[in-house]
Amino acid sequence: VCHGVSSVQLRDKNASYDQLIIVGRQLKTLLSPYNIPLIINDYVEVALALNTQGVHLGQSDGDINTARRRLGPNKIIGLTVDNLVQVEVANKLPIDYIGCGPIFPTKNKENAALFWDLNKLRQACTLSKHPVIAIGGINLDVAHQVIAAGADGIAAIDEFYAS
């Protein structure tokens, strides 16, 4: 952990495979001296090509069991869950953590139809057998509330782009 950063996720929905490989290599070089894992969002193929520490998949980004077989038992696999039913389903999957969100409105998921809020996050943390990472609209002003609700960690994209 370096200044509170326990992992970095490479997420760029508009980048090509080749662009993700280039940026992924650069990130691996930057993160390696600090032993900070690089997680690839959505693309098992990119994670395999770069030999990153893992992948994070959304509900429509591929089969978790296939990803586990391809990546092996020692890689990190995260799964985004959109509701409490998906939290219960995730309990039976070979994953390492779940991402719940968006907790609050965010520019990074403008198409999100529903927000979790802290009460639903608290319920997810109680239901989940996996660590819970809270996603969406989290910055320094609300991070303590999210952790107090039971989240094991946060994703803080907005904080890095705050002006």
Side-chain angles (χ1 to χ4, degrees):
V1 177
C2 181
H3 299 288
V5 176
S6 58
S7 66
V8 170
Q9 184 180 121
L10 174 54
R11 179 184 188 267
D12 186 341
K13 298 284 190 178
N14 299 315
S16 69
Y17 175 88
D18 290 339
Q19 290 168 324
L20 289 170
I21 295 293
I22 291 167
V23 173
R25 282 189 186 127
Q26 294 169 341
L27 279 172
K28 276 187 74 172
T29 299
L30 289 171
L31 298 172
S32 180
Y34 303 102
N35 293 315
I36 296 174
L38 177 60
I39 308 298
I40 303 297
N41 192 70
D42 294 345
Y43 303 105
V44 172
E45 293 301 322
V46 174
L48 286 167
L50 291 170
N51 192 28
T52 63
Q53 288 83 356
V55 69
H56 182 91
L57 300 174
Q59 290 291 313
S60 61
D61 294 328
D63 179 68
I64 292 293
N65 291 306
T66 301
R68 176 56 72 203
R69 278 193 302 277
R70 296 198 63 219
L71 292 168
N74 299 320
K75 298 291 184 177
I76 299 166
I77 298 180
L79 176 66
T80 298
V81 294
D82 299 317
N83 55 55
L84 295 174
V85 171
Q86 291 175 357
V87 172
E88 291 179 352
V89 170
N91 283 337
K92 300 175 186 122
L93 296 174
I95 60 174
D96 299 286
Y97 70 91
I98 59 171
C100 293
I103 307 302
F104 304 109
T106 173
K107 296 177 290 260
N108 297 300
K109 278 208 172 209
E110 292 176 355
N111 61 345
L114 298 172
F115 298 101
W116 278 72
D117 76 39
L118 293 173
N119 289 327
K120 286 183 187 165
L121 174 62
R122 196 172 287 109
Q123 291 174 25
C125 294
T126 300
L127 281 173
S128 181
K129 76 172 198 175
H130 303 292
V132 174
I133 307 301
I135 300 169
I138 300 168
N139 56 38
L140 289 176
D141 295 330
V142 297
H144 66 283
Q145 296 173 24
V146 172
I147 297 301
D152 296 285
I154 62 168
I157 297 171
D158 286 352
E159 192 61 31
F160 289 103
Y161 291 103
S163 49

